[in-house]
């Protein structure tokens, strides 16, 4: 019965009040310590208007790079489609074959040679567009790198400028 009584005693709220008070006191001290550390970190970092402008510029450029990379992907797929079409036309045996070529919403039939030339021109133009986009991405990456240096120098670990991998 003594064991049973002990377990009843441990359940009795009046018997363990000292222990609970000590636990609450420790939790309260931990909370106040965490709060004071947060307050101190917030006080240490003063965000000026210029800093906010840099952070905004960083965010806009990061977003722009993402858009440009998606655009580059689309154009590379289009380029691959043009290359596949060129390969298919080369495999055609009949030189008299008229091949439909889409210009806007209209298909116009051309000879194999004319279609091949048009595809080569389209490939060249598309590759130039891809190169221009990649150049823009590279120049924006330089700007981002410079902004990262400036912002990390001021804010240190209080700012996260790394892209999410999600």
């Amino acid at each position: 019965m003594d064991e049973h009584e002990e377990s009843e005693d441990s359940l009795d709220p009046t018997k363990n009040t000292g222990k609970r008070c000590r636990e609450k006191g420790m939790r309260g001290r931990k909370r106040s310590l965490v709060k004071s550390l947060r307050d101190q970190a917030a006080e240490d970092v003063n965000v000026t208007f210029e800093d906010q402008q840099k952070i905004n510029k960083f965010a806009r450029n990061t977003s722009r790079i993402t858009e440009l990379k998606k655009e580059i992907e689309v154009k590379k797929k289009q380029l691959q489609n043009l290359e596949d079409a060129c390969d298919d036309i080369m495999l055609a045996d009949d030189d008299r074959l008229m091949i439909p070529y889409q210009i806007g919403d209209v298909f116009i039939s051309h000879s194999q040679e004319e279609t091949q030339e048009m595809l080569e021109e389209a490939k060249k133009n598309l590759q130039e567009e891809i190169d221009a986009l990649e150049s823009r991405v590279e120049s924006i990456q330089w700007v981002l790198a410079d902004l990262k240096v400036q912002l990390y120098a001021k804010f240190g670990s209080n700012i996260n400028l790394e892209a999410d991998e999600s």
Side-chain angles (χ1 to χ4, degrees):
M1 271 199 171
D2 288 336
E3 290 175 25
H4 184 65
E5 288 175 10
E6 284 178 30
S7 63
E8 285 180 9
D9 287 346
S10 63
L11 296 175
D12 186 359
T14 60
K15 304 249 181 192
N16 290 324
T17 55
K19 182 178 178 184
R20 272 188 268 143
C21 287
R22 283 191 305 272
E23 289 174 0
K24 285 183 181 178
M26 289 185 65
R27 277 188 246 140
R29 281 181 275 187
K30 285 180 183 177
R31 285 186 191 132
S32 65
L33 178 63
V34 169
K35 185 178 184 296
S36 68
L37 288 174
R38 282 187 200 144
D39 292 344
Q40 182 182 5
E43 290 173 14
D44 291 345
V45 179
N46 184 23
V47 180
T48 65
F49 179 74
E50 287 178 1
D51 296 332
Q52 189 61 52
Q53 294 298 93
K54 289 177 184 177
I55 292 168
N56 292 346
K57 184 176 181 180
F58 186 89
R60 281 191 310 272
N61 282 320
T62 300
S63 177
R64 184 67 182 137
I65 277 186
T66 303
E67 292 169 7
L68 289 172
K69 286 181 177 180
K70 287 178 184 176
E71 193 174 340
I72 288 170
E73 265 185 56
V74 167
K75 291 198 180 287
K76 283 186 175 181
K77 286 179 183 175
Q78 290 173 346
L79 182 62
Q80 183 62 47
N81 289 342
L82 289 174
E83 289 172 354
D84 291 345
C86 283
D87 293 343
D88 288 346
I89 290 173
M90 281 185 192
L91 295 176
D93 292 336
D94 191 0
D95 289 339
R96 296 172 286 155
L97 182 64
M98 296 301 283
I99 300 170
Y101 187 87
Q102 184 176 6
I103 301 175
D105 292 335
V106 179
F107 285 92
I108 300 173
S109 294
H110 293 282
S111 69
Q112 183 178 359
E113 187 177 318
E114 289 173 322
T115 304
Q116 192 74 25
E117 289 172 7
M118 294 173 79
L119 287 172
E120 291 298 329
E121 183 67 26
K123 282 174 34 181
K124 184 182 127 212
N125 292 338
L126 199 53
Q127 186 60 53
E128 288 172 359
E129 289 176 31
I130 291 169
D131 293 342
L133 290 172
E134 288 175 341
S135 175
R136 287 176 61 191
V137 166
E138 188 176 323
S139 68
I140 292 172
Q141 285 173 332
W142 280 102
V143 170
L144 289 177
D146 183 48
L147 287 170
K148 265 187 184 181
V149 168
Q150 293 174 32
L151 292 169
Y152 276 133
K154 176 150 187 184
F155 298 106
S157 63
N158 292 321
I159 191 167
N160 180 13
L161 301 174
E162 303 305 318
D164 291 337
E165 296 297 324
S166 54

